[in-house]
Amino acid sequence: MSRIHHSLLLAGALLSLAACSTSRPLVHGEPAAPAPVTVATEGANDNLNAVLWVQRSQEYRANALQTWRAAAAQLDRALADRSWTALLPQEGGSQQSARLKPAVVVDVDETVLDNSPYQARLVRDGGSYDDVSWDAWVSEGKAGAVPGAVEFAQAAAARGVTMIYITNRTEHMKDVTLANLRRLGFPVAGDDVYLGLDKYVPGCEQEGSEKACRRQLVARQYRVLMQFGDQLSDFAAIGVNTQAGRDALLQAHQGWFGQRWWMLANPTYGGWEPAQFNNAWSLPEAERRAAKRAALDLAQ
């Protein structure tokens, strides 16, 4: 029997059954026919595909692995070149010298620790980031490792390189974060390798969440061989977070990526998003989404 013939017969049978069910009179005491099932549809969530890509795609894992492995392949070169530094002159690079101990600076979230379950919960619940839910997630200590990060960190430590964690987690999150890192196998030389958002740096005034002051602090003690992050601001201060400002920073220092600076993919959040709506998070969600749609390149 062909698929078409079979489908026609099945459709006819279903129509006959439906007609019988609607024409048959109800018997007293018999329960009424159930109401039609309505499938609830969730509102669109801008982060659904991005979080799913991080958690389920082989492409994300391959991307992370190749970044960490390519960096590991250049680690010996960076160690051997005593003039090598991954810091810009104005952010401590001018203070670097061969006598300093070698170090690698890494961001934490979405660079070495994977917080996609937190993002997934927000997608499921129709929520958005807030300090309370983020603090609760960090306190759970359940973040996994970004693929390839542990292996690189251990290889660096084996060569006498100190891992420095510059993060925009706060100082009060230090203990649980370091415990999370240690549990996954990341080398943690001591509490002082954690430099949180509210870390005080004498002689330097931090602007917002920028990391320039903390990089300068590291430069006083270590020769920084490489920097890793998932945001442009993990490598250098952007200044004004606009599309033009971000383009200018990348254009000026793009030659450092893949040698001294190493970017991890993070499509779930970042400074690139508010740059599309003038950093105005106070705008209603619909207006922020409209601004993002307007920023799309349609090649017209």
Side-chain angles (χ1 to χ4, degrees):
M1 182 183 295
S2 72
R3 289 187 180 181
I4 296 176
H5 188 201
H6 181 271
S7 298
L8 288 173
L9 289 175
L10 179 60
L14 290 173
L15 287 172
S16 298
L17 287 172
C20 291
S21 64
T22 55
S23 61
R24 182 172 62 85
L26 292 176
V27 178
H28 180 70
E30 181 182 9
V37 176
T38 301
V39 179
T41 57
E42 297 179 356
N45 189 301
D46 288 358
N47 227 5
L48 174 59
N49 266 9
V51 176
L52 194 62
W53 185 75
V54 169
Q55 291 194 329
R56 297 301 183 195
S57 78
Q58 293 71 29
E59 289 81 358
Y60 167 74
R61 296 198 296 275
N63 181 275
L65 286 170
Q66 74 178 8
T67 299
W68 288 108
R69 288 174 181 171
Q74 296 202 44
L75 192 56
D76 288 335
R77 173 191 171 197
L79 269 169
D81 184 346
R82 305 297 286 179
S83 64
W84 185 282
T85 180
L87 295 176
L88 294 180
Q90 67 271 25
E91 295 197 1
S94 59
Q95 303 174 38
Q96 300 282 269
S97 71
R99 64 178 178 78
L100 295 172
K101 297 178 293 184
V104 165
V105 168
V106 296
D107 169 57
V108 171
D109 298 309
E110 280 54 72
T111 299
V112 295
L113 290 186
D114 170 17
N115 300 286
S116 61
Y118 170 73
Q119 300 293 333
R121 294 177 189 181
L122 296 180
V123 171
R124 178 198 63 189
D125 299 336
S128 57
Y129 171 89
D130 64 82
D131 290 341
V132 174
S133 63
W134 172 246
D135 193 289
W137 161 253
V138 171
S139 296
E140 291 182 36
K142 291 181 179 179
V146 170
V150 172
E151 292 79 3
F152 173 90
Q154 292 178 347
R159 289 166 169 77
V161 178
T162 302
M163 296 294 294
I164 305 292
Y165 303 92
I166 300 184
T167 175
N168 282 337
R169 294 186 176 201
T170 59
E171 283 291 299
H172 89 271
M173 296 175 176
K174 175 191 289 187
D175 290 345
V176 69
T177 301
L178 292 181
N180 196 161
L181 289 166
R182 288 188 175 104
R183 176 178 62 81
L184 295 170
F186 286 101
V188 177
D191 287 359
D192 60 339
V193 300
Y194 177 102
L195 282 71
L197 177 63
D198 41 357
K199 175 71 175 179
Y200 173 67
V201 180
C204 186
E205 186 173 347
Q206 179 172 296
E207 296 185 16
S209 60
E210 288 284 6
K211 298 179 175 181
C213 288
R214 286 170 282 172
R215 285 189 282 264
Q216 291 179 43
L217 180 62
V218 173
R220 299 170 190 173
Q221 305 173 61
Y222 298 94
R223 180 167 68 94
V224 178
L225 307 180
M226 296 178 178
Q227 292 195 79
F228 292 80
D230 65 304
Q231 310 289 328
L232 203 55
S233 57
D234 289 330
F235 305 95
I238 296 174
V240 181
N241 189 52
T242 61
Q243 193 71 15
R246 296 169 65 83
D247 283 342
L249 178 60
L250 178 59
Q251 180 64 33
H253 306 295
Q254 60 181 312
W256 281 27
F257 285 100
Q259 294 188 9
R260 301 166 195 249
W261 294 353
W262 301 85
M263 181 73 77
L264 279 297
N266 175 13
T268 64
Y269 66 88
W272 53 269
E273 182 184 3
Q276 313 311 315
F277 47 82
N278 199 29
N279 304 290
W281 283 108
S282 60
L283 289 173
E285 182 180 19
E287 291 185 33
R288 300 198 307 268
R289 182 176 290 119
K292 289 190 289 184
R293 288 178 64 87
L296 293 172
D297 182 358
L298 307 179
Q300 292 180 336

